[in-house]
Amino acid sequence: MPILHSWPAALDLCTDDMRGLSRRLPVRQTQCMNPMTETPAPTPDTASHSEHPRGAPRASTLHRNELTSSVVSTPIGPLLVATTERGVVRVAFAAESIDSVLTDLVDRLRPDRLIADEGIGNESVRHLAAAEAQLREYFTGRLQTFTVPIDDALSSGFYLEVRQALRQVPFGTTTTYTALAERLGRPKAVRAVGTGCSGNPVPVIVPCHRVTRADGSLGGYRGGAPAKAILQALEADALR
């Protein structure tokens, strides 16, 4: 059974623009076991992608009331899961640096409150608990569709369209960047589709790992090619 561990460390999330805010956002660690393997995932073979891909429009006035997070141990390594009152806003791999990701979220979302995961009655905490539970089910092969709400604060324009289309790719199947571009009515935008996938701020839950190159090779992935292969194999195994 998955085990919840309290995480004693806290992360300093100071930003100059938040009126001297100097608060700490604790994160909790959760373990998810994979029925195929309990060994740690390989280290990602690529550096983490930019939080906001070059060329993507950036929202000028983002604001959220709440932000909370936890770290979930999975077969593809620890995943940071961050939620707002609207849903899951970010899932990050270890190679992306928890410190950097959380600091960037605070800077971009300007949350009124940084909530510890023990907070009672907060929407962000409820969404975080739902995300943790659904990730546990997913990594044991028992869940095929995530129902936890997604906060699309970090996506806009065509990239948002790409990430919304990703949610329609069925569990255990794959599509190609070319096919996704055609589905979106932009057959020449294959490169932009690839960028939208690689910069997906909510990997695993929004399944960009189900998109491959036209020649059948894996293509890029925010968490590295080994993680992408593990996710595809996990889903294929769950359908057998």
Side-chain angles (χ1 to χ4, degrees):
M1 294 292 292
I3 304 172
L4 296 181
H5 298 281
S6 66
W7 185 302
L11 301 173
D12 192 1
L13 300 176
C14 299
T15 59
D16 294 335
D17 298 329
M18 295 188 70
R19 302 161 84 178
L21 174 66
S22 180
R23 302 182 60 184
R24 294 177 180 272
L25 179 61
V27 292
R28 180 177 65 226
Q29 188 175 34
T30 304
Q31 289 184 334
C32 296
M33 306 312 292
N34 186 332
M36 299 190 304
T37 176
E38 295 186 0
T39 58
T43 301
D45 60 356
T46 58
S48 60
H49 295 272
S50 168
E51 170 73 13
H52 206 79
R54 187 169 62 179
R58 212 178 156 133
S60 57
T61 54
L62 284 178
H63 171 260
R64 293 294 182 266
N65 296 326
E66 305 170 9
L67 179 66
T68 191
S69 68
S70 68
V71 172
V72 181
S73 296
T74 79
I76 57 173
L79 296 176
L80 171 73
V81 181
T83 56
T84 69
E85 71 276 10
R86 299 190 187 186
V88 180
V89 71
R90 189 73 163 86
V91 173
F93 295 91
E96 298 179 78
S97 169
I98 290 175
D99 254 333
S100 298
V101 171
L102 287 177
T103 300
D104 183 73
L105 283 173
V106 170
D107 181 55
R108 295 178 66 182
L109 300 180
R110 299 290 196 270
D112 294 331
R113 290 174 291 172
L114 305 179
I115 301 174
D117 55 25
E118 295 85 1
I120 303 299
N122 298 105
E123 285 298 317
S124 62
V125 175
R126 283 194 282 268
H127 293 320
L128 182 62
E132 290 173 339
Q134 289 178 30
L135 283 167
R136 288 196 292 267
E137 292 293 297
Y138 172 81
F139 279 108
T140 55
R142 295 194 296 265
L143 181 138
Q144 297 187 7
T145 303
F146 287 93
T147 58
V148 61
I150 303 297
D151 184 343
D152 286 312
L154 304 180
S155 299
S156 59
F158 183 64
Y159 292 166
L160 176 58
E161 293 180 43
V162 170
R163 292 157 193 170
Q164 290 173 334
L166 288 172
R167 301 171 206 179
Q168 308 306 314
V169 181
F171 179 94
T173 70
T174 59
T175 188
T176 65
Y177 300 107
T178 301
L180 201 56
E182 291 172 349
R183 183 184 305 177
L184 290 166
R186 299 273 297 276
K188 295 183 179 180
V190 176
R191 186 179 294 274
V193 167
T195 302
C197 290
S198 66
N200 172 23
V202 191
V204 184
I205 294 176
V206 176
C208 52
H209 60 273
R210 296 175 190 160
V211 186
T212 63
R213 292 176 177 151
D215 63 5
S217 59
L218 285 173
Y221 189 57
R222 196 164 199 153
K228 189 172 187 177
I230 288 172
L231 292 171
Q232 290 184 8
L234 181 150
E235 294 186 4
D237 185 72
L239 292 177
R240 292 193 183 101

